[in-house]
Structure formats: structure tokens, C-alpha cells
Amino acid sequence: MHVFTVKQLLSTSGMNQEVTISGWVRTFRSNRFIALNDGSCLSSIQCVVDYENLDEEVLKKINTGAALKISGVLTASQGRGQAVEIQVNKLEVLGEADPDKYPIQPKKHSLEFLREKAHLRVRTNTFSAVMRISSALAFAIHQYFRNEGFFNMHAPLITGSDAEGAGEMFRVSTLDAKNPPLNEEGEVDFKEDFFGKEAHLTVSGQLEAETYAMGLGKVYTFGPTFRAENSNTSRHLAEFWMIEPEMAFYDLDGNMDLAEDFSQSIIRYVLENCEEDLLFLEKRLLDEEKTKPQNERSEMSLIEKLRFVVDNQFKRVSYTEAVDILRNSKPNKKKKFAFPIDEWGADLQSEHERYLVEKHFKCPVILFDYPANIKAFYMRLNDDEKTVRAMDVLFPGIGEIIGGSQREERLDVLQEKIKAVGIDEEELWWYLDLRRFGTAVHSGFGLGFERMLMFVTGMGNIRDAIPYPRFPQNAEF
Amino acid sequence: MHVFTVKQLLSTSGMNQEVTISGWVRTFRSNRFIALNDGSCLSSIQCVVDYENLDEEVLKKINTGAALKISGVLTASQGRGQAVEIQVNKLEVLGEADPDKYPIQPKKHSLEFLREKAHLRVRTNTFSAVMRISSALAFAIHQYFRNEGFFNMHAPLITGSDAEGAGEMFRVSTLDAKNPPLNEEGEVDFKEDFFGKEAHLTVSGQLEAETYAMGLGKVYTFGPTFRAENSNTSRHLAEFWMIEPEMAFYDLDGNMDLAEDFSQSIIRYVLENCEEDLLFLEKRLLDEEKTKPQNERSEMSLIEKLRFVVDNQFKRVSYTEAVDILRNSKPNKKKKFAFPIDEWGADLQSEHERYLVEKHFKCPVILFDYPANIKAFYMRLNDDEKTVRAMDVLFPGIGEIIGGSQREERLDVLQEKIKAVGIDEEELWWYLDLRRFGTAVHSGFGLGFERMLMFVTGMGNIRDAIPYPRFPQNAEF
């Protein structure tokens, strides 16, 4: 007999067939109606038991969280709320869940409570919906790039170069933690370490992706990156996944075209493939917002926010124009910004980015040509020698979601910038080789996967957008 | 004007159109024929320059490795070896490649030499073919699981539990390497470390995948894992990518069905989508084997080996049967095995696995029900109390490629096994919770991505199956 999933049964038209299904009890009411869920979709299937003919010992074990194997006949449901149900002929309890001990009971649990039970929280509607969408989003990303002729590459996680300077790094070592070997100068002798030198966890795969773009043309990475920063916020993780496309022969315009098409495409995929989960999360968010004062509620519902990105062309504005707009804006003049915008050169904050998107342009925005001194060394210097060919894509509710740039392809300019930021050129010999041999215009950008998942699911804390979040004082599970 | 890729141009039927293309010079002969490659496919496109009308200074810069932007008319080619070519009207040298300095010249380079130039090796035919196939293989894996109703999950890389015991681990720390803080007992005080406890890089995402399978039903991970083992072999990396599916309600038979269908499907995808690259690598392998003595050459060509897996049903044999076959085999009796098979309980070596696949059964083999004491603690104990529900999938040429098992779902049995291997039960409280609440039969397996890529591409050293290999004394780039 074929074993079905709940998702398959709920969409079948083959009534009155004998089916077998396994899953976990979500609820059991009136000693008669089991809502059985197997994770394949948000909905449970209703299984109707004939309790008068069921062993009382078995009946007692049908508690929330118990694993059951059920055989029965699939029929059109008499009740409201579901089209089909199973008239149970055979019921086997695979694994019990003692209601006095099982923490995931059918009631509202706080997200904080569930974070402590990260190994069980995927059994709730909220987290199963988030994680099904996570999977769809990841697939949409791979499919998009494959259709566009990109090659996926695995950038290294452990790196012997600490030259990028995008953030604090974790050291990776097998040396004795208490008594490391010392060299003649009395310093730790990393020559004795596993890799023969000091090694760290990467903060970005971009530089390695550039080496591959200069051979394969269009590549992307999709892998974990790390930050050893002591940031206990709802937007930072010590370990998170990044998507970093890198394209030879793309200038900043091509990069902006790609970022817009890419972000719209992957969100459209989720809209088209995750309707049930999105509707559930939208309702969750609405309920949550009802507890907030009116002026803190978002103006758009979850799905409206996704459609706002998918249906609007992104407005492209230079940093200089944006600063003009912000300087003359009402909130700036009325001193409503926490960080007032006085002059050209200021780094923009989320409040400014959101103002541009939500109030001024009323569409997603791409800012470009940022001041050189607030951006990374590898970004291409403009002829004005003040700005670089950087871009940030700004979304409603969160501000920056994608950051990218055209890369500096001129050897001499790059060498000067490396010197200026104090990096040893020897560290980046291989990166500079790309400018020595067959250099060309090229560009790329980075997207934090969990940030995008927060946007798509409406979850407010990044610790709820990854199965097992890592942050200061926490590497549990 | 639309910018094309070489792959698009070589498959177009739109002759006599004006096209623009960028790429790198592979060869330039007779001052007339440029083979231009952009990584989109193995083939280069022939660009014909009218050297009499080309500035001599420009002509001198058309060297192997130089980046060019070319405009011209796409025409049917008069020469042999290509259907179309570009009659160049305009040629711009974007980046030169000094032939006296550029290491990747149009001649045969050893794989060892290219490993030292890992940032440039993707510009060769061999590595570009391997990496295009790597990308196709990765996509095939995601697509297969999505079509089969699996959800992708991101297992954590940094872990506070070192309980799995699958291998030596790397420590991840931000403590001062030379003078770490000590506690009252005089030991390193990891409470002061970033995560508040000693943390390591994971050796497997399986245990976390199990927690998700028990909520979402069918999940898989596809991410990096780490081994701090001092293995300087052609088959081991310190950092490699693993695919680990985990399925609730699957017993070992279901697990074997999945492993067979999965491995055949992803290889079939590569056969159907990477023909040009496979034919090139097949020829490379044939040429390489010509330098070996007859008895060391493989009996099958690369593509024959892939078809061997795709076209044959996998033979399922218990470990006990396999040991009987091996004990009575010719090579065992003639003492040809480096590790003779004397009795039940021996761990099988690659030579034994290959004998079963290549000589005895002449098809891929799945061995199951291994002795408990040579397998991991989490595998389900059989009623004989001597064997566990483990399985290994064996391929020609390499032996084991996939290892998996049905997991021990009984709390008491698992607790006893954890005790027996000397792990502190407290370390695995969350893993044991899966057996406390709604436990059920479940199974999964693991596949090393680079091992599969070696099999599919015929590369003999795993360091050539990942962009930037990490191994003892090496974390360059």
C-alpha cells in the first residue's frame, strides 16, 4: 500500500480509497477527531475514530505530539473546515507524548520560549511555515541562477587570509587551548597549527567568487559566513548564510538590473508556491500587531509588502540625490530622525532608507555611487575620486537588503586602496593577480539569506529565521 | 545591443547578425584566429580578425588570457571544427596577460602545478568542465529533493556539542590564543569565550536534521562539514560539503529505495545536461590512463561508469552474505586482498567493496545490517542484538559513496548505547527528547559532495573537486 503525505491526500480527488498515513497529533477533540500533521503542509488531516470500538489504553495515548500510523478510508468530510477526512480502521501509536512533559501544547507559546526548545519548535504551525518557506526560497535562488546561466561554487569557509576586513573573525585551531606552542619570539606558533598558519572562519566568499567569475563568467555562492561581533540584536547572527553572485563583464547598471530581477523573481516564487503558509503568517502578524499602538503598526500586510516589491519597478537614485532629498525632508527638518542628515558623506541609517522607500518614492529603491570612505576597498572608484560604484537595494520595513558594487579592476588603483586601508599586499597576491592577468569590468552583490527570510515571512527576530541561531553566549544544540 | 555568451552564440541560428561578446583569449593563431572563451561552456568561439587593418599595438596584446570585448558579424564558419564564427569589426583589449608572466599558457599543466594556482585554474578546460559539472550536480540535488517533497534546512556549523564522535574537530574561539583566561581549576575558562562554552565546527548535520524530520517529515541538509584529521590523502579534505537527507516514517528499505533513486537521478541529470564537459573529461581520463600499465587502467570509460550506475538496479546484500562471498572469493583465497577476510565482524575495505561491485555482482551494491560494533551509536539495533540497520551504497572504482541507517527510535535502547560509547547523556538531551515525544521510525543517509563529484568527473584527487581545498598545512586563498 502506498504511503501518502497529508499534502497529497488533501489535494487528491480519489475518494473512498483505503489509505495509510503517519504523522503527529496536533489536537484530539471529542474523543473522535484527530488533527494529524506530518509537516508536508500547514494543514492537518482530520482522522475520525470510532472511539467505542477503540481500546481505552490506546485512546489515552492519543495526545498532542504523539506519532500515529493510521489506515482508513478517505471520504468527503461532513464537517466544516476540510474537504476530506479519513474514517479510521486501524490506528497504531508509534510514539507517545506525555501531556505533562511535552512542551509543545496546543496553545500560544512565546517565540522566546520556543527559542529554548529549538529542537521542537518546528512542530508548531509558525515555525513549520517559516521553514517550508525557507526551503522554497533557497530553491528559488538556485533555480533563478541556473536559469540565468550562473554556476554555483563552494567558497571556502576556513581561510588563511584575514584581509577583507568585513568584520571580526573566529579563530579555527587544533592547538592546545591552554598551552599553545610558542615560537622563538614567545608568540603562539601557528606554524604548528593544523593549517600551518593562523586560520579563521570567513566573513564573505566574495573575493574567491571573483576568481571564479574571471574564468566561468557568472557564478554565485550560497553558503555560511561568520561574524564574531558581540551584537545581541534581533538582526545579527554569528553564523548566517549568504548569497553572493559575481559576474564578469557586468558594470554597475548590469548589477542593478540583476539585483532587481533576482529579488523580484525569488519573492514571486514564494508568492506562487507558499500561499497557505504566507496566509497563515500574515494572519499571525496581524494578530501580533493588534497588541501594538496604532502608530507602530505597519501600513502594509505581509503579502502587500511582498507585492510592493514584486509589482513596482525599483527607483534608482544616487547617494548624492538621496542625501539632498533626506536633508530637505520633513522628518529631518522636524528633527524626527534619530540621526539627522546634515551633510554629504554621512552613512545612511535604516530610518533614512525606510523614509526613501515608504514615504518618498513609495517603491523599492536602489542607491548608488556612495562616498568612497564609507565603503569597502575593492569597490570601483569613480572619476570624481570621491565616490565608488557601490549600490544598496532598499526594501520597505527594513531598509538595506542587498549590498553590492562594481569591483575595482585596475591594478594600480586597487594597490593604492589596499595600501590606504593598511592591508599587506602580500596577503592578497592572488586577488591582485586577477588584475594582472585578463582583468575586466566585473560586479557582484551579497544578500543575507535570513534577512530575506525575515522579510518574506514577517518574522521580527533573525533568531527565528534559522533553525539553530548562533549568537553571543549561545551555541546550544 | 544585447550582450551574448559564447554558449548562446554557438547554439543560435541567427546568422549574419551583429553581435558583441566579451571573453578571454584561449589561443591566437596566424595573427587571424582568436579562440575566445567566456566560461559559459567548454567551447570557445572563433573570432576572425583582419590583422592588416588592426593596430599592431593591439595585435601584440592578443595573448592567451587577455580579456577582450569584440563586436562583429556572426557567420557560418568556412573552417573545420566550428559551425559559426565572428568576423570581427571592433576589438577592445580590456585586460592584458603578459605571456612571460601569465602561468596558464596553452599547454598541458600538471594538476599539482594548477593546485598552486587555484585562483587561476578554473580558466583551464579541465577545471572549468569540473566546476560546471559541480554546479549542475548541486542543482540536480536540490531539484531532486524538492520534487520529492523534501525541505532544505540549514544545520548549524558551529556547535557546542561534541557528542557525535564522527571525527576530530576544530575549535572555534575568540579567546586570546596566547593567554586564554583560566578558571579557578586552572583550566581554560570557556565561559569567557564567545559562545560561553567550548565550541567546535560540526562533523555532521545529521542529529539536527533528525530534529527537523520529526516535524517537517522529510528534510535534507547541503552544507559544509569539517574534520580535523591529519589525513594527507587524495580522498580526504578538512572542509567538505555533505548532503544529508533525513526522513520520518522511513525504515531501512525506504532509505535504500531513496538512496538508489537519488543517486541514479542526479547522475542522470549530469549525463543529460553536461554532455560536452563529460566527453572532454572522458577523453582526458583516457589519455591519462594510457600512461599507466594495462592492469591499472579502469575497465570502463567515464561515461560507461556513469551509465553502469544509472542503468543497473542496485543489488541489496546483507553484510553477512557479503562476508561469505568475500571469504570464498578467489582474491581472498589467493591472498590478493591487502586485508584478508577471515571472519564475520571485519570492517570492509575499498578493495572488498570494489570486488563485490565490479567482479561479483557487476552492478552497484547496497550492503546492509552491519555489525553493531563497527557502526555509530545512533543506528537501530536489530533483534539479533549483533547487527544494526546500517547501509552503505557501493560504486565501481571507489567503493562506498553513501552511508546511512535507520535511526534508533527507542529511548531506552538509545540511552544504553550512548552510555556504552561513553557520551554524557546530558550533552544529547535534545536528541533524546525526539525519543521522548512522538518518536517514530526514521532514517537517513549522508553523501560527500566532492566524493560524488570525483566519481562523476573522473578526477582522481579530491583536492581537484573543490575550488579551494583545505588540508593539513593548507588554507591558502
Side-chain angles (χ1 to χ4, degrees), chain A residues 22-24 37-40 65-67 94-98 101-103 116 118-123 128 131-132 135-136 138-139 142-143 146 150-161 169-178 180 182 186-188 190-191 193-197 201 208 211-217 222-224 226-230 238-239 241 248-249 269 273 429-430 433-434 436-440 449-450 467-468 470-477, chain B residues 22-24 37-40 65-67 94-98 101-103 116 118-123 128 131-132 135-136 138-139 142-143 146 150-161 169-178 180 182 186-188 190-191 193-197 201 208 211-217 222-224 226-230 238-239 241 248-249 269 273 429-430 433-434 436-440 449-450 467-468 470-477:
Chain A
S22 297
W24 293 274
N37 188 285
D38 67 358
S40 61
L94 302 174
E96 299 177 53
D98 183 342
K101 294 179 182 158
Y102 183 54
E116 305 286 313
H119 62 309
L120 301 175
R121 66 180 177 171
V122 76
R123 302 178 184 197
S128 72
M131 291 306 160
R132 276 187 298 268
S135 174
F139 184 73
H142 288 296
Q143 190 173 54
R146 180 132 188 104
F150 284 69
F151 300 105
N152 177 241
M153 75 166 282
H154 290 157
L157 282 290
I158 297 171
T159 173
S161 75
M169 297 171 97
F170 290 103
R171 190 175 58 253
V172 174
S173 176
T174 56
L175 291 180
D176 188 278
K178 190 179 163 189
L182 303 180
E187 296 303 317
V188 174
F190 287 108
K191 284 206 181 75
D193 208 347
F194 189 91
F195 295 108
K197 63 196 288 195
L201 289 175
E208 289 87 357
T211 68
Y212 263 52
M214 298 311 275
L216 293 177
F222 187 167
F226 305 87
R227 295 281 189 287
E229 271 146 35
N230 201 358
E239 171 186 313
W241 287 61
F249 314 119
Y269 183 93
N273 289 276
W429 66 274
W430 51 274
D433 264 5
L434 303 182
R436 291 189 182 102
F437 307 120
T439 191
F449 180 75
E450 293 80 10
Y468 295 100
R470 269 70 182 104
F471 49 90
Q473 302 300 313
N474 194 297
E476 192 61 82
F477 307 104
Chain B
S22 297
W24 295 275
N37 188 285
D38 67 357
S40 62
L94 303 174
E96 299 177 52
D98 183 342
K101 293 180 182 161
Y102 183 53
E116 304 287 313
H119 62 309
L120 301 175
R121 66 179 178 172
V122 76
R123 302 178 184 199
S128 73
M131 291 305 159
R132 277 188 297 269
S135 175
F139 184 73
H142 289 296
Q143 190 172 54
R146 179 129 188 105
F150 284 69
F151 299 105
N152 178 241
M153 74 165 283
H154 290 159
L157 282 290
I158 296 171
T159 172
S161 75
M169 297 171 99
F170 290 103
R171 190 176 56 253
V172 174
S173 176
T174 56
L175 292 180
D176 188 277
K178 189 178 163 190
L182 303 180
E187 297 303 316
V188 174
F190 287 108
K191 284 205 183 76
D193 208 348
F194 188 91
F195 295 109
K197 62 196 288 196
L201 289 176
E208 288 88 357
T211 68
Y212 265 50
M214 299 310 277
L216 292 178
F222 187 168
F226 305 87
R227 296 279 189 286
E229 271 146 36
N230 202 357
E239 171 185 314
W241 287 61
F249 314 120
Y269 183 92
N273 289 277
W429 66 274
W430 51 275
D433 264 5
L434 303 184
R436 290 188 183 103
F437 307 120
T439 191
F449 180 75
E450 293 80 10
Y468 295 100
R470 269 70 179 104
F471 49 90
Q473 302 299 312
N474 195 297
E476 192 60 82
F477 307 103

Side-chain angles (χ1 to χ4, degrees), chain A residues 52-300:
Chain A
E52 287 169 344
N53 290 317
L54 203 64
D55 185 338
E56 201 161 321
E57 283 307 301
V58 172
L59 213 55
K60 269 192 213 158
K61 294 178 180 169
I62 306 177
N63 296 304
T64 294
L68 307 184
K69 184 176 179 183
I70 279 177
S71 297
V73 179
L74 193 71
T75 57
S77 177
Q78 306 300 314
R80 283 177 307 173
Q82 66 273 328
V84 299
E85 62 189 19
I86 297 173
Q87 300 293 333
V88 178
N89 292 328
K90 208 178 138 197
L91 186 154
E92 186 187 344
V93 179
L94 302 174
E96 299 177 53
D98 183 342
D100 294 334
K101 294 179 182 158
Y102 183 54
I104 313 293
Q105 291 301 320
K107 59 168 191 176
K108 202 169 161 52
H109 298 286
S110 76
L111 296 176
E112 291 75 17
F113 171 81
L114 290 172
R115 248 170 254 151
E116 305 286 313
K117 314 284 177 202
H119 62 309
L120 301 175
R121 66 180 177 171
V122 76
R123 302 178 184 197
T124 65
N125 282 336
T126 298
F127 281 95
S128 72
V130 169
M131 291 306 160
R132 276 187 298 268
I133 291 174
S134 173
S135 174
L137 185 64
F139 184 73
I141 291 164
H142 288 296
Q143 190 173 54
Y144 176 84
F145 284 125
R146 180 132 188 104
N147 288 343
E148 295 296 318
F150 284 69
F151 300 105
N152 177 241
M153 75 166 282
H154 290 157
L157 282 290
I158 297 171
T159 173
S161 75
D162 60 351
E164 212 219 331
E168 292 297 309
M169 297 171 97
F170 290 103
R171 190 175 58 253
V172 174
S173 176
T174 56
L175 291 180
D176 188 278
K178 190 179 163 189
N179 295 307
L182 303 180
N183 60 21
E184 287 179 0
E185 288 83 51
E187 296 303 317
V188 174
D189 188 4
F190 287 108
K191 284 206 181 75
E192 298 279 310
D193 208 347
F194 189 91
F195 295 108
K197 63 196 288 195
E198 192 169 5
H200 294 94
L201 289 175
T202 188
V203 294
S204 160
Q206 178 200 314
L207 304 193
E208 289 87 357
E210 284 187 55
T211 68
Y212 263 52
M214 298 311 275
L216 293 177
K218 295 190 284 190
V219 301
Y220 73 104
T221 69
F222 187 167
T225 51
F226 305 87
R227 295 281 189 287
E229 271 146 35
N230 201 358
S231 304
N232 252 311
T233 81
S234 61
R235 286 167 56 84
H236 293 90
L237 291 170
E239 171 186 313
F240 58 99
W241 287 61
M242 282 249 283
I243 298 102
E244 298 184 283
E246 191 71 34
M247 304 77 67
F249 314 119
Y250 272 53
D251 60 14
L252 191 68
D253 287 328
N255 204 14
M256 290 195 277
D257 290 345
L258 182 77
E260 178 170 349
D261 188 51
F262 165 72
S263 49
Q264 289 185 327
S265 296
I266 61 175
I267 293 173
R268 196 178 298 118
Y269 183 93
V270 172
L271 280 167
E272 288 168 359
N273 289 276
C274 305
E275 198 190 0
E276 186 187 30
D277 289 321
L278 282 177
L279 287 170
F280 174 82
L281 292 172
E282 173 163 270
K283 186 168 177 309
R284 192 197 77 85
L285 206 58
L286 283 175
D287 291 346
E288 191 184 271
E289 296 222 316
K290 277 180 196 154
T291 66
K292 292 183 183 172
Q294 189 78 38
N295 64 342
E296 285 178 27
R297 298 182 198 171
S298 40
E299 289 175 23
M300 289 182 270

Side-chain angles (χ1 to χ4, degrees), chain A residues 281-385:
Chain A
L281 292 172
E282 173 163 270
K283 186 168 177 309
R284 192 197 77 85
L285 206 58
L286 283 175
D287 291 346
E288 191 184 271
E289 296 222 316
K290 277 180 196 154
T291 66
K292 292 183 183 172
Q294 189 78 38
N295 64 342
E296 285 178 27
R297 298 182 198 171
S298 40
E299 289 175 23
M300 289 182 270
S301 77
L302 177 61
I303 292 173
E304 280 167 355
K305 219 157 49 177
L306 302 185
R307 294 239 67 100
F308 178 88
V309 170
V310 166
D311 294 337
N312 285 303
Q313 219 186 325
F314 294 14
K315 175 76 183 170
R316 300 180 190 185
V317 190
S318 76
Y319 167 89
T320 303
E321 286 174 81
V323 164
D324 274 345
I325 292 167
L326 289 167
R327 197 158 30 192
N328 298 315
S329 68
K330 252 192 214 167
N332 200 50
K333 290 182 168 170
K334 293 192 170 176
K335 307 209 181 299
K336 290 280 168 70
F337 284 142
F339 298 85
I341 296 288
D342 289 332
E343 54 191 45
W344 194 92
D347 210 351
L348 302 187
Q349 306 295 325
S350 172
E351 57 179 346
H352 310 127
E353 296 169 339
R354 292 186 55 182
Y355 172 82
L356 293 169
V357 171
E358 295 163 31
K359 306 290 177 193
H360 189 84
F361 290 111
K362 298 188 195 306
C363 65
V365 171
I366 308 183
L367 296 188
F368 61 89
D369 284 353
Y370 278 79
N373 59 353
I374 59 170
K375 290 288 182 182
F377 73 86
Y378 49 70
M379 298 187 177
R380 194 186 192 283
L381 197 62
N382 279 310
D383 290 343
D384 64 14
E385 301 203 342

Side-chain angles (χ1 to χ4, degrees), chain B residues 300 305-306 308-309 354 357-358 363-364 394-399 455:
Chain B
M300 290 182 270
K305 219 155 52 176
L306 303 185
F308 179 89
V309 170
R354 291 186 55 182
V357 171
E358 295 163 31
C363 66
L394 316 181
F395 271 17
I398 48 169
F455 179 75

Side-chain angles (χ1 to χ4, degrees), chain B residues 26 43 45 57 63 67 71 89 102 106 134 148 182 191 218 228 237 244 246 276 309 395 407 415 417 425 462-463 472:
Chain B
R26 280 294 163 84
S43 294
I45 191 162
E57 283 306 301
N63 296 303
S71 297
N89 291 330
Y102 183 53
S134 173
E148 296 296 319
L182 303 180
K191 284 205 183 76
K218 294 190 284 189
L237 291 169
E244 299 184 281
E246 192 72 34
E276 186 187 30
V309 170
F395 271 17
R407 317 307 188 188
Q415 281 171 321
K417 290 189 78 176
E425 200 178 287
I462 200 163
R463 296 174 189 181

